Amino acid sequence: MQRHSTDSSSTSLAPLLSPQASTASKQDTLESKKLDSKHCSETLQASGQFRGGSYLDGNDCPQFAQIASNCSLKAESPTPKALYIDKEALSSLALVQEGLLAPISSLANSKTLHLDSYLTPFVLNPAGKRNRKVLESTKPNDMLDIVFERKKVGHLRVEEVFPIDRQVRTIQLTGLQGGAEFDRIYSRLGDLAVCGEYQVHFPDIKEAKASLQEQITAHNAKHITGLVLDGQIFHKAHEALIRDALSMSDLVVLFLLKPYRHTIIHYDMQKECVELAMHEYLMSDRICTIPLDDTYLFTGTNNVLLHAMVARNYGCTHFIVSDNTPNLSVFYERNTLYSVLDVISGISTSIKGGYVYCDVCQMLVNRTTCPHGKHHHISYDTESILEFFKAGLLPPSVLVRPSISAKLIAHLFPNRFSNLQKLHYDLMPLNDGVLVPKSEEDFYLKLMQLYEIHSK
């Protein structure tokens, strides 16, 4: 009651104030509002560091709503509608935008979603309560901002918003009915999809295309061969495949898969190992490495088709895969080899027999040309070789180059030894002649040499 009385007094006295006093009062009020607005802006800016609510999934952050409700000044224009996506979705949008998945060139709508095609329709249906709320209120011709990590990275002009079955869409993408990968994809999809013309900023692909074009021009390359590598472990069978490609190509393009799922060896270390092998054991000046984001689009049974399309659209004239590549669907008819790659036009595709080490030939051979049986062959299975590194063991040098094994083990198990220098100089021959500090990588390289010594 006392507050009400004071307000009434102030109102009744207002007509008695002089014009100068009235103007000063208004200026004080405006200054007060400016201060409130400044305080609110600073608070919101500070809260931008808050990461408890995932904007990547489009979830709401209640802290922001509470702060905004305390602001004395409201924005004069409404905040543009936005879709919040993660980098995996952003990369997928960029792949299509840059023409790397052509003939896929746009987002699917409700009519093209169910067309029978060997290619998976490209759909944007992000998860999250915030994204769903935006899509429910969106109309044709509305402009939506595309936001990644609280930054606008593009925009989309809406043509249609339509419902989509998340379960069916996940099966369509993965070819699976369940499992960890199925659950990962399912959790990032929403039940409303949007289509329309869009544009995103993702310079990685433009830079990769420009780098490759420079190399093509520098070598005047006409025969350009593309290979896709899951570079978790770069083993000697990979080397053999690249050597074969180099023998018949002006330029070899290695598309190194950049995973978004958890891996034991992260992408940067994978790239270091591939570049080490290139510079020490291969003709690196005729090899170009390009990172290829291994997004959810490549999780299905048609991933080998999409890889071939990416290679073609980057400018490759030939594409090589090993005959043990998953989802290749190889079959013979009248002594002629056919595969799912036969539907791809505009690029010459070939399938190479897998490489093995034959203990009779005592060398790396192509499995299809070796006369000895499988019981004489040592295979190069990436997942099995990876088990050595998980256990902290150096794999035999017949499988992986010692320099690569040493780099990986030192990376996976840092500071493994309490007194590395003493251990090194107590066990290893002192070839340097002087005591020089050694790294873990140096120690593992010397250890591999000790393993190769046979006592008589």
Side-chain angles (χ1 to χ4, degrees):
M1 293 300 291
Q2 184 177 357
R3 179 181 179 84
H4 181 270
S5 174
T6 303
D7 292 342
S8 299
S9 300
S10 299
T11 304
S12 61
L13 287 174
L16 302 178
L17 296 174
S18 65
Q20 293 82 1
S22 179
T23 302
S25 177
K26 291 179 180 179
Q27 289 178 346
D28 291 342
T29 302
L30 287 173
E31 290 297 327
S32 176
K33 289 184 176 181
K34 288 180 180 178
L35 288 173
D36 288 345
S37 178
K38 180 181 179 183
H39 170 72
C40 186
S41 174
E42 291 173 348
T43 306
L44 284 171
Q45 184 178 3
S47 298
Q49 305 302 320
F50 175 77
R51 301 189 62 88
S54 175
Y55 268 58
L56 305 184
D57 293 332
N59 294 329
D60 295 326
C61 281
Q63 288 80 356
F64 285 2
Q66 182 179 358
I67 295 169
S69 66
N70 294 330
C71 294
S72 58
L73 285 182
K74 304 297 181 181
E76 294 182 1
S77 59
T79 303
K81 292 182 178 179
L83 289 178
Y84 296 85
I85 64 174
D86 58 11
K87 191 173 182 181
E88 190 171 357
L90 176 60
S91 174
S92 300
L93 289 168
L95 282 170
V96 174
Q97 174 181 281
E98 298 299 328
L100 294 181
L101 291 180
I104 300 173
S105 60
S106 61
L107 291 167
N109 57 37
S110 57
K111 294 180 180 178
T112 60
L113 178 63
H114 303 292
L115 291 181
D116 185 18
S117 171
Y118 62 85
L119 299 177
T120 303
F122 182 45
V123 181
L124 180 61
N125 57 322
K129 295 179 182 178
R130 179 180 289 261
N131 286 332
R132 179 179 176 82
K133 185 177 180 180
V134 167
L135 292 177
E136 285 177 338
S137 61
T138 295
K139 300 176 182 178
N141 292 322
D142 281 357
M143 187 68 76
L144 299 180
D145 289 344
I146 299 175
V147 178
F148 166 60
E149 291 187 343
R150 299 187 298 280
K151 294 180 181 178
K152 179 181 175 180
V153 293
H155 61 266
L156 182 148
R157 183 173 292 279
V158 177
E159 292 180 5
E160 181 187 10
V161 176
F162 55 95
I164 187 170
D165 190 321
R166 294 170 63 193
Q167 182 85 6
V168 172
R169 174 61 178 161
T170 308
I171 294 173
Q172 187 182 49
L173 280 169
T174 64
L176 305 171
Q177 299 288 336
E181 187 64 9
F182 180 93
D183 294 339
R184 185 185 79 85
I185 301 298
Y186 182 84
S187 66
R188 66 187 318 282
L189 301 181
D191 50 16
L192 285 178
V194 61
C195 70
E197 293 185 2
Y198 70 89
Q199 186 173 0
V200 292
H201 177 68
F202 194 76
D204 303 37
I205 295 177
K206 290 183 182 294
E207 292 169 1
K209 291 174 73 174
S211 174
L212 176 57
Q213 192 57 49
E214 286 179 7
Q215 293 225 35
I216 292 174
T217 303
H219 290 86
N220 192 24
K222 305 298 182 184
H223 193 298
I224 307 164
T225 301
L227 299 170
V228 175
L229 292 182
D230 177 3
Q232 274 209 79
I233 302 297
F234 188 84
H235 49 65
K236 288 190 174 180
H238 289 145
E239 279 188 42
L241 186 62
I242 295 172
R243 290 179 195 278
D244 273 359
L246 283 169
S247 67
M248 61 180 186
S249 307
D250 300 318
L251 185 67
V252 172
V253 183
L254 296 182
F255 295 97
L256 189 59
L257 293 181
K258 191 174 183 179
Y260 281 90
R261 63 189 184 280
H262 173 71
T263 56
I264 299 298
I265 303 169
H266 62 71
Y267 172 78
D268 291 337
M269 178 53 59
Q270 296 175 20
K271 184 179 179 182
E272 279 188 37
C273 292
V274 172
E275 290 179 343
L276 173 65
M278 282 172 47
H279 291 292
E280 290 192 5
Y281 311 112
L282 299 167
M283 299 180 67
S284 59
D285 61 318
R286 289 173 49 206
I287 300 175
C288 178
T289 58
I290 291 181
L292 177 58
D293 287 15
D294 194 17
T295 73
Y296 60 91
L297 296 180
F298 298 103
T299 57
T301 55
N302 62 349
N303 61 344
V304 67
L305 289 175
L306 297 178
H307 289 158
M309 288 163 54
V310 169
R312 177 194 63 194
N313 295 324
Y314 257 109
C316 295
T317 59
H318 294 71
F319 183 69
I320 293 178
V321 295
S322 173
D323 64 358
N324 57 4
T325 300
N327 306 317
L328 193 54
S329 303
V330 176
F331 67 95
Y332 285 88
E333 183 177 341
R334 296 181 181 179
N335 295 325
T336 302
L337 179 65
Y338 296 92
S339 77
V340 69
L341 289 172
D342 295 331
V343 302
I344 298 294
S345 60
I347 188 171
S348 175
T349 60
S350 57
I351 301 171
K352 296 288 186 181
Y355 293 91
V356 295
Y357 184 90
C358 176
D359 62 6
V360 177
C361 298
Q362 294 190 351
M363 62 182 296
L364 197 69
V365 296
N366 191 307
R367 187 177 62 248
T368 60
T369 60
C370 180
H372 307 109
K374 187 177 180 180
H375 55 289
H376 288 293
H377 292 166
I378 299 172
S379 63
Y380 290 81
D381 182 76
T382 300
E383 292 300 322
S384 297
I385 297 174
L386 188 59
E387 292 299 320
F388 282 93
F389 293 99
K390 289 180 181 179
L393 300 175
L394 291 163
S397 58
V398 71
L399 299 177
V400 182
R401 293 277 185 183
S403 55
I404 292 176
S405 295
K407 179 178 287 292
L408 290 176
I409 289 291
H411 167 72
L412 293 173
F413 299 90
N415 304 317
R416 197 177 191 181
F417 303 102
S418 58
N419 196 340
L420 178 66
Q421 304 306 319
K422 182 178 184 302
L423 185 62
H424 187 280
Y425 287 111
D426 283 350
L427 298 178
M428 311 300 177
L430 192 61
N431 295 330
D432 297 334
V434 292
L435 295 177
V436 179
K438 299 294 183 179
S439 67
E440 290 183 315
E441 194 172 329
D442 296 328
F443 172 77
Y444 289 124
L445 278 171
K446 289 293 186 181
L447 186 61
M448 289 290 286
Q449 293 175 9
L450 289 185
Y451 283 141
E452 293 171 357
I453 296 175
H454 299 282
S455 178
K456 294 182 180 180

